[in-house]
Amino acid sequence: MADAPVPAISVRNIHKSFGQHEVLRGISLDAQDGDVISILGASGSGKSTFLRCINLLETPDEGEITVAGETIAMKRNRTGSLMPADRKQVDRIRSELAMVFQSFNLWSHMTVLQNLIEGPVHVLKRPKAECIAEAEALLEKVGLAERRNYYPAHLSGGQQQRAAIARALAMQPKALLFDEPTSALDPELVGEVLKVMRSLAEEGRTMLVVTHEMAFARNVSDRVMFLHEGVVEADGAPEDIFTNSESERFRQFIGNFQA
Amino acid sequence: MSFDVAFLLSTFVKLVAAVPMTLGLFACSVSLGAVFALGITYCRVSGGPLLSAFARAYVFVFRGSPLLIQMFLIYYGLGQFPAVRHSLFWPVLRDPFSCAVLALALCTAGYQAEIMRGGLQAVPSREIEAGRAAGMSGLLLFRRIIAPIAVRQALPAYSTEIILMVKSTALASLVTVWEVTGTAQRLISQTYRTMEVFLVATLIYLLINFIIVRLMALVEYRLSPHLRERPVSASDGGRQGEVHG
């Protein structure tokens, strides 16, 4: 897997500041097809910002993003900061990188099924009947077939997040970006979402997962990246990094979770 | 005062004959006002500082001054300027109906623009972000996500504004448009039976607004299944099917 020619996602030297505060100070990452990479870090370490830079929900100040061999064209505006050169390209690349959000972000005025077919029908312009059939299969898979005509407000948090994952899958993305997908859930609902994510990992989906779920990072992902103050502090296979990381900070970080 | 059923009935018939005029004023001014309001809202939320200032000033002026005076200014005021009388717009500005519609539309546009802005502001940024992340932008994002949610948020306030507009059409009687109130006043000047004529007129306005309230409630109900109670699983089948078609 490591010597596949074109990485699914390749990110080079991302910098991002909010005002005076430099949140990301040069982060790079390569994800091959089928990689499941967990991104860990204390709150404020920049991990969510980093993930949001990959699909340009945040515009990085510096750096280069390449998805399946296609580099996002950037230009500098008059003040010298980076901005996308081609909005259409950004939209297209976003449609290839589905995102799952911390607070689900389902469209409240649409049923679960409508949420699932919205992107495929209106962004990807695929035939509606086909999209509905696929969406129903996806809902079956995440255990929400019976809830397809419910509105998000009528679902539990866990069900909403599973619907949001199904919505992401409906785009047939090249990779999935998870932004703390279980952080907004009641503890008893976390399991059902992690179960779905685990099954996706087993299918060989390419996933970048910003998370606080140590068990998921350790048992499901192929690689773990630990961010600290905007840089990659530790990076490696979970079995290595969790047992003998050179980083004192990472050992402290996981220590907090085990305590 | 004894009940003169025959007089009440004949008054009702005469006033009902003026209902099309009232409804015409109402429909023209609300829809023209909505078009103006869309423009003003656009200036306010996505224009530069200049356009935004224009939108604020517009809303301030038209919400802050009496509609009756606005209407008098347009109908009686503008005609004093020779430039206006010789302009392309004179055929419109000399006509009482057009002037009334214009005044009503300009005024409601100020209110409607604020209602629209409120609706837009109430769209959760999270849902917009989900749209962006799925590759939507520009018109598609507006059409599929922002506008549908904004409309749902704005509907209750919009209903109120529409009902106010039905009542505001009565002011057109003062620039010689023979809608329901104007016709009622003419009947009164002929019969001196103020109470009966105005009571019948009131009844007619109530009927019109009753229908409009019911229609708006129906639209609101149709558009907001997501705000209703969670369906009960046991008796799901029929109700869910009906709600979601």
Side-chain angles (χ1 to χ4, degrees):
Chain A
M1 222 164 18
D3 43 34
V6 181
I9 298 174
S10 173
V11 181
R12 287 281 147 265
N13 194 31
I14 296 289
H15 286 256
K16 175 74 183 175
S17 299
F18 292 112
Q20 293 295 317
H21 180 51
E22 195 172 16
V23 183
L24 301 177
R25 298 185 292 154
I27 297 191
S28 302
L29 168 150
D30 278 302
Q32 304 298 335
D33 279 326
D35 275 1
V36 177
I37 302 178
S38 289
I39 302 168
L40 307 178
S43 90
S45 59
K47 54 194 191 307
S48 280
T49 306
F50 173 62
L51 196 72
R52 292 163 56 82
C53 279
I54 297 175
N55 65 355
L56 264 79
L57 285 182
E58 303 286 355
T59 313
D61 301 331
E62 290 292 336
E64 193 178 82
I65 298 149
T66 308
V67 175
E70 183 182 356
T71 300
I72 301 180
M74 303 292 275
K75 65 181 181 194
R76 295 198 180 272
N77 65 11
R78 266 172 291 168
T79 57
S81 46
L82 225 49
M83 57 179 289
D86 178 4
R87 305 270 8 153
K88 287 227 159 60
Q89 187 199 27
V90 172
D91 287 341
R92 193 179 65 247
I93 285 184
R94 281 175 177 164
S95 74
E96 295 168 357
L97 296 172
M99 190 172 227
V100 176
F101 299 87
Q102 180 174 352
S103 20
F104 333 130
N105 300 17
L106 291 167
W107 295 305
S108 56
H109 60 300
M110 299 182 191
T111 64
V112 170
L113 187 70
Q114 288 167 341
N115 264 279
L116 260 69
I117 64 170
E118 181 64 22
V121 170
H122 293 280
V123 177
L124 306 178
K125 310 248 188 278
R126 296 180 44 215
K128 194 169 176 181
E130 204 179 298
C131 297
I132 291 176
E134 282 177 23
E136 282 173 344
L138 286 171
L139 287 175
E140 190 76 49
K141 182 168 155 174
V142 300
L144 286 174
E146 274 131 53
R147 296 284 187 266
R148 50 196 267 253
N149 289 332
Y150 278 49
Y151 286 86
H154 297 150
L155 300 175
S156 73
Q159 290 171 331
Q160 287 190 53
Q161 193 59 299
R162 283 186 281 144
I165 292 173
R167 175 176 68 176
L169 294 173
M171 294 295 282
Q172 304 183 331
K174 291 185 173 138
L176 290 153
L177 310 177
F178 291 85
D179 187 5
E180 303 203 28
T182 56
S183 299
L185 295 174
D186 292 336
E188 75 269 25
L189 301 176
V190 169
E192 60 187 74
V193 170
L194 288 179
K195 202 177 120 201
V196 170
M197 290 171 59
R198 182 187 283 262
S199 76
L200 297 179
E202 282 161 6
E203 278 174 19
R205 304 260 183 187
T206 312
M207 296 159 68
L208 300 188
V209 186
V210 168
T211 187
H212 289 292
E213 293 295 327
M214 289 305 133
F216 180 89
R218 189 164 188 160
N219 302 327
V220 182
S221 48
D222 306 304
R223 224 174 98 200
V224 173
M225 230 171 108
F226 174 66
L227 301 194
H228 181 77
E229 291 179 352
V231 293
V232 181
E233 169 78 21
D235 183 1
E239 55 273 22
D240 299 333
I241 193 173
F242 274 99
T243 46
N244 52 1
S245 173
E246 284 163 21
S247 162
E248 173 66 24
R249 287 204 185 91
F250 183 59
R251 290 200 303 271
Q252 262 174 19
F253 178 73
I254 53 177
N256 290 340
F257 279 88
Q258 280 151 359
Chain B
M1 192 179 79
S2 62
F3 261 110
D4 182 348
V5 176
F7 177 73
L8 289 175
L9 266 180
S10 78
T11 305
F12 185 77
V13 170
K14 282 174 194 153
L15 291 187
V16 162
V19 165
M21 183 56 93
T22 289
L23 290 181
L25 282 169
F26 164 75
C28 293
S29 57
V30 165
S31 39
L32 188 64
V35 174
F36 291 165
L38 281 173
I40 295 159
T41 309
Y42 180 81
C43 292
R44 181 71 199 270
V45 300
S46 51
L50 214 68
L51 285 176
S52 171
F54 160 77
R56 280 162 198 269
Y58 182 95
V59 169
F60 175 71
V61 168
F62 283 93
R63 277 203 316 184
S65 61
L67 172 55
L68 183 59
I69 294 181
Q70 294 166 19
M71 202 177 280
F72 280 168
L73 279 175
I74 290 173
Y75 184 62
Y76 297 113
L78 287 182
Q80 293 182 355
F81 299 99
V84 173
R85 283 201 303 277
H86 297 121
S87 79
L88 214 63
F89 303 109
W90 187 233
V92 174
L93 292 174
R94 64 190 288 186
D95 171 45
F97 180 82
S98 325
C99 282
V101 165
L102 187 63
L104 288 164
L106 288 172
C107 178
T108 188
Y111 288 92
Q112 287 188 32
E114 281 299 285
I115 293 169
M116 289 176 186
R117 188 174 68 88
L120 286 175
Q121 272 180 342
V123 179
S125 57
R126 292 182 300 179
E127 296 183 41
I128 298 175
E129 190 159 73
R132 281 192 206 288
M136 294 185 192
S137 67
L139 206 58
L140 181 65
L141 185 66
F142 183 78
R143 187 168 64 81
R144 298 296 308 172
I145 310 294
I146 298 174
I149 299 174
V151 165
R152 285 162 172 82
Q153 304 275 13
L155 218 50
Y158 207 85
S159 307
T160 308
E161 173 59 16
I162 282 181
I163 289 160
L164 285 172
M165 283 303 288
V166 172
K167 299 190 292 177
S168 299
T169 57
L171 292 177
S173 63
L174 296 170
V175 291
T176 70
V177 177
W178 298 111
E179 42 62 77
V180 172
T181 303
T183 309
Q185 271 170 332
R186 189 158 59 178
L187 281 178
I188 290 165
S189 65
Q190 289 161 2
T191 62
Y192 299 101
R193 295 168 85 158
T194 312
M195 191 68 177
E196 286 143 302
V197 175
F198 272 155
L199 275 178
V200 173
T202 304
L203 179 71
I204 287 175
Y205 281 108
L206 285 174
L207 280 174
I208 295 174
N209 270 334
F210 176 77
I211 293 166
I212 288 175
V213 166
R214 297 313 304 161
L215 282 177
M216 291 305 287
L218 186 69
V219 172
E220 223 177 295
Y221 182 82
R222 281 300 186 136
L223 287 181
S224 59
H226 60 296
L227 299 179
R228 274 174 248 155
E229 260 177 70
R230 177 208 294 255
V232 187
S233 297
S235 62
D236 253 358
R239 279 189 53 213
Q240 277 294 91
E242 172 199 87
V243 168
H244 305 298

